[in-house]
Amino acid sequence: MSDTLRWSTSGRGDSGGGACDEAAACSHAVHGRDSGTPDGGSSAVTPATRAAFPVGATAP
């Protein structure tokens, strides 16, 4: 990947610094990863797919 990603930490993560999500965007995808294991890999979706995600969705 030639794009340099600038990761941003979620404001809704664990206040203890353990469980947090990070996101980064480039010209062709929106990326997500676990801030506790940043070298553990990431997932990516197209901007159109990300836009289809429900806003404010929570786990059951």
Side-chain angles (χ1 to χ4, degrees):
M1 175 183 326
S2 61
D3 292 324
T4 299
L5 298 176
R6 295 183 65 184
W7 293 95
S8 298
T9 303
S10 168
R12 294 184 174 238
D14 178 0
S15 62
C20 234
D21 293 326
E22 293 180 322
C26 65
S27 60
H28 59 278
V30 178
H31 303 262
R33 70 180 182 187
D34 177 1
S35 65
T37 55
D39 294 328
S42 65
S43 60
V45 295
T46 65
T49 300
R50 174 60 188 101
F53 286 14
V55 175
T58 60

